[in-house]
Amino acid sequence: RASDPKKMDAYGEDILDIVRQHVNEGLLPDEERTSQQQTNKQSAIPRPKPITIESLTAEQLRAAEMVLESHQSVFISGAAGTGKSHVSKYIIQTLHERQVRKCSPTAPTGVAALNV
């Protein structure tokens, strides 16, 4: 629910509907979709191709293993083009495969957020 009524008057419920659609149809595993969502697959956001473990560098693999074994919050940093989003996607994907429910990825910019 939006906290600023002026913004809601200006933008309406459209923004919230887009967010709900993205969260409910594009990110949840197929088995968690409701029957209504399953019948409306044409509007679902396609899931990205899985990241393979072979696509990670040795350093990325070490970082991913450390994160996946620690069950702690982590901060991944590095220069542009070093694969931060790639390894982050692998970690998120693996956590989803393991059915870990408490995974909340964040990013410092809109572009980075879209990448992960």
Side-chain angles (χ1 to χ4, degrees):
R1 181 175 267 213
S3 61
D4 186 347
K6 290 180 184 177
K7 286 184 181 178
M8 287 308 298
D9 288 342
Y11 301 108
E13 290 284 324
D14 293 341
I15 294 171
L16 295 176
D17 288 341
I18 291 168
V19 170
R20 283 186 202 105
Q21 177 183 350
H22 181 69
V23 169
N24 292 331
E25 295 180 359
L27 299 178
L28 293 176
D30 289 336
E31 63 272 7
E32 292 185 18
R33 293 181 183 175
T34 65
S35 59
Q36 179 183 3
Q37 290 167 331
Q38 287 178 348
T39 60
N40 193 18
K41 286 187 179 179
Q42 69 273 10
S43 66
I45 297 167
R47 295 183 67 86
K49 292 181 181 180
I51 308 267
T52 63
I53 196 166
E54 294 81 20
S55 68
L56 300 177
T57 66
E59 188 175 20
Q60 290 171 331
L61 183 57
R62 278 194 312 275
E65 288 172 346
M66 189 169 50
V67 170
L68 294 168
E69 292 171 7
S70 73
H71 303 285
Q72 304 256 335
S73 294
V74 296
F75 179 80
I76 298 173
S77 65
T82 57
K84 298 176 298 291
S85 293
H86 187 73
V87 73
S88 295
K89 287 180 203 177
Y90 175 78
I91 293 166
I92 294 164
Q93 166 189 300
T94 304
L95 290 171
H96 281 285
E97 288 170 358
R98 294 179 183 180
Q99 298 184 345
V100 173
R101 298 283 180 190
K102 293 184 179 181
C103 174
S104 301
T106 61
T109 67
V111 172
L114 291 173
N115 284 334
V116 297

